[in-house]
Amino acid sequence: MNSETFVYYLIIVNVLGFLVYFLNYMLRTHTKGKQINALIYLISLAGGAAGMLAAILLFDRKAVKENMMYRVWIICMLVIQVILLLLFKGQKAENWNLDVNAFLTAHKILTIYLGVINIVTFLFFAIDKYRAVKNKSRIRIVTLLGMAFAGGSVGALLGIYLLRHKTKKNYFTVGVPLMMVMQVLALFYAMNAGW
């Protein structure tokens, strides 16, 4: 596929993504239980995540449990697609580097950040679990997911399964591993960006 055809494809799939997400938003807010979930996931997987994110920003800004999985999926897909696009469009070093240990040793601030964010994320899950058991005010879902998205996906995953917390919420059980894949891909890109 040449680059001009690819650009047209991206435009079409993102316009389609925008329209499908808007239709899903209208169905979700104006009918009971009517949604087009599979289409949302397929079109975002096909490259329409940017259009869907635009629809979220324009029409569906309020984060609620009903739209949380869409948000996690779409944002992760967009980041993954941007990284893959940059890798395949030539934004990489001459040779692939797979030595994560050497990269993290050379970038101590990144290593410290990842350690701290994962510990803090795990602690947030532990505090939220404690508050849930004691029927006290809880940490917002957006905060827990935001911590996982900001690099704390390992801490979040440990919090989910070691503490048995949020194990029935798909935006955690599916979303956090998806964030982990996104973060591994981002780390791989940073290692091979050729900067």
Side-chain angles (χ1 to χ4, degrees):
M1 181 184 302
N2 65 31
S3 62
E4 188 175 318
T5 307
F6 186 66
V7 169
Y8 286 131
Y9 168 78
L10 284 178
I11 291 169
I12 290 168
V13 77
N14 280 290
V15 168
L16 184 61
F18 181 89
L19 295 173
V20 166
Y21 191 89
F22 178 71
L23 176 62
N24 191 61
Y25 167 73
M26 296 303 285
L27 287 170
R28 192 177 74 245
T29 56
H30 293 27
T31 63
K32 283 192 173 193
K34 303 272 187 199
Q35 295 180 42
I36 45 178
N37 298 340
L39 206 50
I40 294 280
Y41 297 123
L42 286 173
I43 292 174
S44 65
L45 194 60
M52 291 182 180
L53 184 59
I56 289 171
L57 293 173
L58 288 173
F59 306 110
D60 197 14
R61 286 188 293 246
K62 186 174 182 187
V64 293
K65 290 180 181 180
E66 291 78 26
N67 67 9
M68 197 59 66
M69 186 59 208
Y70 296 136
R71 290 166 180 265
V72 170
W73 177 269
I74 289 167
I75 292 170
C76 287
M77 282 296 111
L78 180 61
V79 171
I80 289 169
Q81 290 163 2
V82 167
I83 292 170
L84 290 175
L85 184 66
L86 290 172
L87 279 172
F88 290 113
K89 285 295 189 179
Q91 298 291 325
K92 61 184 181 295
E94 291 296 319
N95 297 318
W96 295 108
N97 178 13
L98 300 175
D99 191 354
V100 176
N101 189 36
F103 180 79
L104 291 176
T105 303
H107 297 86
K108 291 190 186 315
I109 293 175
L110 176 64
T111 305
I112 291 167
Y113 170 78
L114 289 174
V116 168
I117 193 74
N118 279 289
I119 291 168
V120 170
T121 302
F122 180 79
L123 290 174
F124 271 49
F125 272 80
I127 291 167
D128 191 55
K129 173 70 175 191
Y130 174 79
R131 288 179 177 177
V133 170
K134 297 292 183 181
N135 288 325
K136 293 186 175 186
S137 66
R138 305 281 300 277
I139 297 173
R140 295 180 59 211
I141 293 169
V142 174
T143 303
L144 294 173
L145 288 171
M147 296 291 290
F149 186 83
S153 60
V154 173
L157 205 60
L158 290 173
I160 291 169
Y161 291 108
L162 290 180
L163 303 172
R164 296 178 188 230
H165 188 51
K166 302 288 188 186
T167 58
K168 295 182 181 172
K169 306 294 183 193
N170 64 354
Y171 40 86
F172 284 103
T173 58
V174 175
V176 170
L178 183 61
M179 288 179 204
M180 191 178 294
V181 169
M182 176 197 71
Q183 290 163 3
V184 167
L185 193 58
L187 182 64
F188 178 76
Y189 175 71
M191 291 169 53
N192 294 286
W195 297 332

